[in-house]
Amino acid sequence: MTRWVLHVDLDQFIAAVEVLRRPQLRGRPVVVGGDGDPTKRGVVATASYEARAHGVHSGLPLRTAARRCPEAVFLPVDADAYRAVSSRVMATLRGFDAVVEVLGWDEAFLAVEGDDPEATAREIRARIRAATGLECTVGIGHNKLQAKLATGLGKPAGVFRLTHRNWFEVLGGRPTDALWGIGAKTAKRLRAMGIATVGELAAADPRALAERFGPAIGPWLVRLAQGRDHSPVDGAPHVPRSRGRETTYQRDLRDWQEVRREVANLARQVADEAAAERRPAARVVVKVRYAPFITRTHGRTLEAPTAEAARIEEAALAALDRFTERRPVRLLGVRAEFAR
């Protein structure tokens, strides 16, 4: 039998959970973010497809979302509800004869064997629908890269197979940032080298890319464009790689001493979570969003991993000191990246 990797991605997960709780919202534009008040500062956590049609997307300021789609229904984030539904979904997936790698609330990889992966994908969709009422898309490939990209091609609520056989037919003419792992900055650097499409990147000289991107990243980019990925589906329990806290302020912080106090407070909250999980932090990252909406980050690597609040706070403040601009601040965040 053939081995396959399936990627399961719940469609518009958070918005879909909210619609299940409020069936009267079905078919209407729904935006979830902050405390649900679009007159306040905050960002969109997710938007229904009806809202996305108006240009509303994750990370967009709520006020901008309200201007783009004034008829939208705005709802507050309810993480406990989403976590509970996600648990039912993942329990459903573990009912299959497969290795399941959970990626987050709304997606997972499955390693399966069989001659008809589409039938397995359809069964996954049916079981999730029966267990939760939610729709999902399933991507099929011979590796995780192919399956992940196939999911995007199958949305919404579909099944799509992407393998070496149709890789270049489907992706060859697309820009390089269509690939999972290549962002806008890398795509821009590739274009400067005359490489604009997936097909061109797949045919590129790995040595030339190694000179530009480094001995590991350069050849990896070529392998990525060729659809090659040898990373296994890992069935170990999903463990977050970091913990973070952030706050959006309804008034700009203009006093940098107040900014320092807020960062110290966030760092202590993060340290409490790290200590509760008995997971030492190896690096601390501070995020500052200046008014109106410009975001910068700086990090500090700890001399030795720790969950001690004083050391995490010290690292956060050291990272904050790397911000040279003293402009008004609308959001602050602190994230601890775990050593293991």
Side-chain angles (χ1 to χ4, degrees), residues 302-324:
L302 295 158
E303 292 183 1
T306 184
E308 292 181 20
R311 292 180 60 192
I312 291 175
E313 179 182 339
E314 180 183 4
L317 292 175
L320 181 65
D321 287 339
R322 299 184 61 189
F323 292 86
T324 57

Side-chain angles (χ1 to χ4, degrees), residues 37-76:
D37 185 348
T39 67
K40 294 182 179 179
R41 286 180 170 176
V43 297
V44 175
T46 195
S48 67
Y49 290 127
E50 293 82 2
R52 294 179 195 182
H54 293 267
V56 178
H57 55 78
S58 299
L60 190 73
L62 288 175
R63 291 173 178 172
T64 303
R67 288 196 298 270
R68 292 185 180 181
C69 190
E71 66 271 30
V73 176
F74 286 82
L75 299 172

Side-chain angles (χ1 to χ4, degrees), residues 13 17 78-91 105 131-132 134:
F13 172 59
V17 171
D78 187 348
D80 289 341
Y82 314 143
R83 194 176 293 112
V85 175
S86 175
S87 295
R88 296 208 304 273
V89 171
M90 299 310 162
W105 281 348
T132 66
L134 296 175

Side-chain angles (χ1 to χ4, degrees), residues 13-330:
F13 172 59
I14 293 175
V17 171
E18 294 293 354
V19 170
L20 282 177
R21 301 165 80 186
R22 303 170 177 83
Q24 69 273 19
L25 298 181
R26 189 171 303 278
R28 297 182 62 184
V30 174
V31 178
V32 182
D35 66 0
D37 185 348
T39 67
K40 294 182 179 179
R41 286 180 170 176
V43 297
V44 175
T46 195
S48 67
Y49 290 127
E50 293 82 2
R52 294 179 195 182
H54 293 267
V56 178
H57 55 78
S58 299
L60 190 73
L62 288 175
R63 291 173 178 172
T64 303
R67 288 196 298 270
R68 292 185 180 181
C69 190
E71 66 271 30
V73 176
F74 286 82
L75 299 172
V77 174
D78 187 348
D80 289 341
Y82 314 143
R83 194 176 293 112
V85 175
S86 175
S87 295
R88 296 208 304 273
V89 171
M90 299 310 162
T92 300
L93 294 179
R94 293 189 180 98
F96 286 84
D97 183 16
V99 177
V100 179
E101 178 179 342
V102 177
L103 300 183
W105 281 348
D106 60 349
E107 61 177 327
F109 285 114
L110 285 78
V112 303
E113 293 187 354
D115 298 321
D116 189 354
E118 278 80 6
T120 303
R122 289 192 294 270
E123 179 65 18
I124 287 171
R125 295 189 62 239
R127 290 195 198 179
I128 288 177
R129 190 185 307 113
T132 66
L134 296 175
E135 294 292 343
C136 69
T137 299
V138 182
I140 301 168
H142 286 305
N143 57 47
K144 291 162 74 172
L145 169 65
Q146 294 173 352
K148 173 76 172 181
L149 292 174
T151 306
L153 297 164
K155 280 187 172 291
V159 174
F160 195 92
R161 184 194 293 201
L162 182 64
T163 65
H164 290 298
R165 178 171 295 181
N166 65 340
W167 178 265
F168 289 110
E169 176 187 346
V170 174
L171 293 174
R174 298 198 179 201
T176 57
D177 57 5
L179 294 171
W180 183 35
I182 295 184
K185 291 183 179 179
T186 300
K188 182 178 180 179
R189 293 176 66 188
L190 288 169
R191 286 195 300 272
M193 297 177 65
I195 300 171
T197 68
V198 172
E200 291 169 347
L201 179 56
D205 183 353
R207 292 170 297 182
L209 287 169
E211 291 178 2
R212 182 66 64 92
F213 292 92
I217 298 298
W220 172 75
L221 289 170
V222 176
R223 293 195 300 272
L224 197 68
Q226 294 171 346
R228 293 190 285 152
D229 175 20
H230 301 296
S231 58
V233 176
D234 185 355
H238 174 65
V239 178
R241 296 179 180 179
S242 64
R243 285 292 184 190
R245 289 291 187 97
E246 62 180 45
T247 301
T248 298
Y249 302 95
Q250 297 308 311
R251 62 169 183 83
D252 294 339
L253 303 184
R254 298 177 181 275
D255 181 348
W256 208 249
Q257 289 304 313
E258 184 177 8
V259 170
R260 289 182 66 83
R261 288 193 295 272
E262 291 294 319
V263 167
N265 181 52
L266 290 169
R268 287 192 293 271
Q269 294 178 45
V270 169
D272 288 344
E273 294 183 4
E277 296 184 27
R278 297 182 179 180
R279 299 184 67 195
R283 179 176 169 81
V284 178
V285 178
V286 172
K287 177 167 71 173
V288 174
R289 179 166 294 151
Y290 296 106
F293 209 80
I294 300 171
T295 305
R296 300 283 186 267
T297 61
H298 284 296
R300 178 83 170 198
T301 300
L302 295 158
E303 292 183 1
T306 184
E308 292 181 20
R311 292 180 60 192
I312 291 175
E313 179 182 339
E314 180 183 4
L317 292 175
L320 181 65
D321 287 339
R322 299 184 61 189
F323 292 86
T324 57
E325 297 180 86
R326 295 295 187 263
R327 297 162 53 190
V329 171
R330 61 175 288 156

